[in-house]
Amino acid sequence: MPYRPKDIYRGRRKFRVPLTIILSVLGVLLVGSVVLFSVLQRFVVYDASGVTLQLPSSADTAAEEETILATPDPTFEPVEVEVIYETQDFADTDLGGWEELESVQALFIAREDVSSATLLAAAVTRAQEGDYSGVVLEMKDETGQLAWASQTETAVNYGTYGTADVTETIAALHEQGMTVAAQISCCADTLLGTRNWTVTLQTASGEAYTDDDGVLWLDPYNGTVRAYLEDIVAELAAMGFDEIILADLYHPIAGEGESFTYSVSLQTDPDPVAAICLLGQRLVTAAEDTDTAVSVLLDTDSLRNGNGSKTGQDIEIFWRLFARLYCPTSADMVTSDKELTVAEINAGSADIRFVPVCASVPEGCASYVIK
């Protein structure tokens, strides 16, 4: 019997090709969304108004710095994390690190110059041609911007990393017998504080603390802050720096009638000395398995006014924690500042461990940094 076309079952093939195309497009969009989210995550900003996205622009460096120094909306409520801290007794603490050090005569190179290959090369040439035994590279200043392409988790997540590669510079200076130190700002950090206000030191009203220069300060008790700085120290040590100098490692002093709140729940009353010295101890420990010494930059006003108990810069404890104490001073104040600092030294030579930071070579000091 002859067949007729309508008696043959042909299925529904005409729908398969469009359906395949639609599913493929949806799959591509899904994968693209995941990748885009991963890339843009570092530019997410958490503030009082919620979560926002701040993409980098093609503006020049000046515009970028202006963005960094922007302050967050101060209307948020403080966040508390349940972390208990025990009181630390530093009486028997002596981390050393100074035993292998020699006197140093170094040239300070600011972060802006470190970030520029041309300016860095010019500054290094001045140090090589001058009467210097080393250099101090500012790798993180109080704006919070890092000079180098850090791979630490917090730097990647919040976009605080830079672009400079100083490994060749370090190697070249080492070949000439010169030392290379890295200086980093610890508790003063506007960039991280702006992009994640929960890590800032806060006033009693819940506002992020900003000093008279418009710089945001981080909470020295905060776990994210501690981990970030520990990772930075470890990374710089791995890069070959001979020494790391901790700047802005102190607690701001509250004004009259003011107080601070923290991101943790404390078992005892907040103590600036415990907060700062415990943080300093952790940062020294972060480099303990390396040949890198960890030192600290003093707050001169705290030293001269005897406010160590308020700022956390207890000189006696600092001598136990750090390899050297760097002291910003001037030619007419270096002798008195040295006397105040060295009066508490517990070991080693003051000519090696006390380092004034001046605009010109100070008299009577074997070690110094010219800034």
Side-chain angles (χ1 to χ4, degrees):
M1 178 174 122
Y3 70 87
R4 291 174 296 179
K6 66 180 182 179
D7 294 329
I8 299 175
Y9 176 71
R10 300 182 182 276
R12 297 185 177 181
R13 295 183 179 179
K14 59 182 179 180
F15 296 107
R16 292 183 179 178
V17 173
L19 181 60
T20 301
I21 294 176
I22 292 173
L23 291 176
S24 299
V25 171
L26 290 176
V28 171
L29 291 176
L30 178 60
V31 173
S33 299
V34 172
V35 173
L36 184 61
F37 175 79
S38 177
V39 172
L40 295 181
Q41 186 178 17
R42 70 187 60 175
F43 302 110
V44 173
V45 177
Y46 303 89
D47 57 22
S49 59
V51 181
T52 58
L53 185 66
Q54 292 187 0
L55 295 175
S57 65
S58 57
D60 56 15
T61 303
E64 179 182 354
E65 292 292 339
E66 184 176 350
T67 300
I68 290 174
L69 293 176
T71 55
D73 185 349
T75 60
F76 53 78
E77 294 295 329
V79 177
E80 287 192 348
V81 178
E82 188 67 21
V83 178
I84 305 299
Y85 287 84
E86 300 292 344
T87 302
Q88 176 69 40
D89 183 6
F90 296 97
D92 298 326
T93 302
D94 190 353
L95 301 184
W98 49 267
E99 295 86 350
E100 303 299 324
L101 295 178
E102 298 179 354
S103 61
V104 60
Q105 303 80 39
L107 175 67
F108 178 86
I109 303 177
R111 199 267 304 170
E112 294 88 346
D113 292 346
V114 175
S115 299
S116 166
T118 302
L119 295 177
L120 175 59
V124 169
T125 298
R126 290 198 303 273
Q128 292 170 329
E129 296 177 349
D131 190 20
Y132 296 102
S133 65
V135 296
V136 175
L137 305 183
E138 187 178 36
M139 302 299 287
K140 176 180 183 287
D141 59 14
E142 62 186 13
T143 69
Q145 180 65 55
L146 305 184
W148 77 105
S150 173
Q151 296 301 305
T152 59
E153 181 179 3
T154 301
V156 172
N157 288 344
Y158 293 100
T160 62
Y161 53 83
T163 58
D165 183 356
V166 298
T167 53
E168 292 185 1
T169 298
I170 295 173
L173 289 169
H174 282 167
E175 288 181 0
Q176 297 184 12
M178 299 179 69
T179 61
V180 189
Q183 179 171 305
I184 62 170
S185 174
C186 293
C187 297
D189 189 326
T190 298
L191 183 53
L192 181 60
T194 299
R195 295 184 176 178
N196 184 0
W197 60 267
T198 64
V199 303
T200 60
L201 182 66
Q202 298 168 18
T203 64
S205 60
E207 300 179 1
Y209 174 73
T210 306
D211 64 22
D212 293 338
D213 295 323
V215 177
L216 284 173
W217 284 75
L218 305 181
D219 178 358
Y221 285 111
N222 184 272
T224 299
V225 172
R226 295 197 324 267
Y228 181 37
L229 294 175
E230 287 175 306
D231 289 345
I232 285 176
V233 168
E235 191 172 58
L236 291 173
M239 290 167 62
F241 281 98
D242 302 291
E243 189 175 357
I244 296 173
I245 304 170
L246 307 176
D248 301 314
L249 184 66
Y250 68 91
H251 194 296
I253 300 176
E256 185 176 356
E258 298 178 349
S259 61
F260 294 115
T261 60
Y262 304 90
S263 59
V264 298
S265 178
L266 301 174
Q267 189 178 42
T268 58
D269 292 335
D271 179 18
V273 173
I276 295 303
C277 290
L278 280 169
L279 176 57
Q281 186 178 45
R282 296 179 69 98
L283 300 183
V284 174
T285 304
E288 67 178 352
D289 294 328
T290 71
D291 294 328
T292 302
V294 179
S295 301
V296 68
L297 184 71
L298 298 179
D299 172 41
T300 310
D301 289 337
S302 175
L303 174 69
R304 295 171 182 172
N305 297 324
N307 287 328
S309 61
K310 297 179 180 179
T311 64
Q313 291 208 336
D314 186 303
I315 300 301
E316 182 180 1
I317 298 176
F318 272 21
W319 281 121
R320 298 178 181 277
L321 295 179
F322 303 109
R324 296 195 226 248
L325 272 57
Y326 287 76
C327 181
T329 185
S330 58
D332 59 334
M333 294 292 293
V334 64
T335 300
S336 58
D337 287 339
K338 182 177 181 179
E339 291 176 351
L340 288 172
T341 307
V342 176
E344 302 292 344
I345 193 171
N346 51 25
S349 169
D351 287 336
I352 293 176
R353 300 191 66 193
F354 173 79
V355 186
V357 181
C358 305
S360 58
V361 177
E363 295 184 3
C365 294
S367 296
Y368 54 83
V369 172
I370 301 301
K371 181 177 181 180

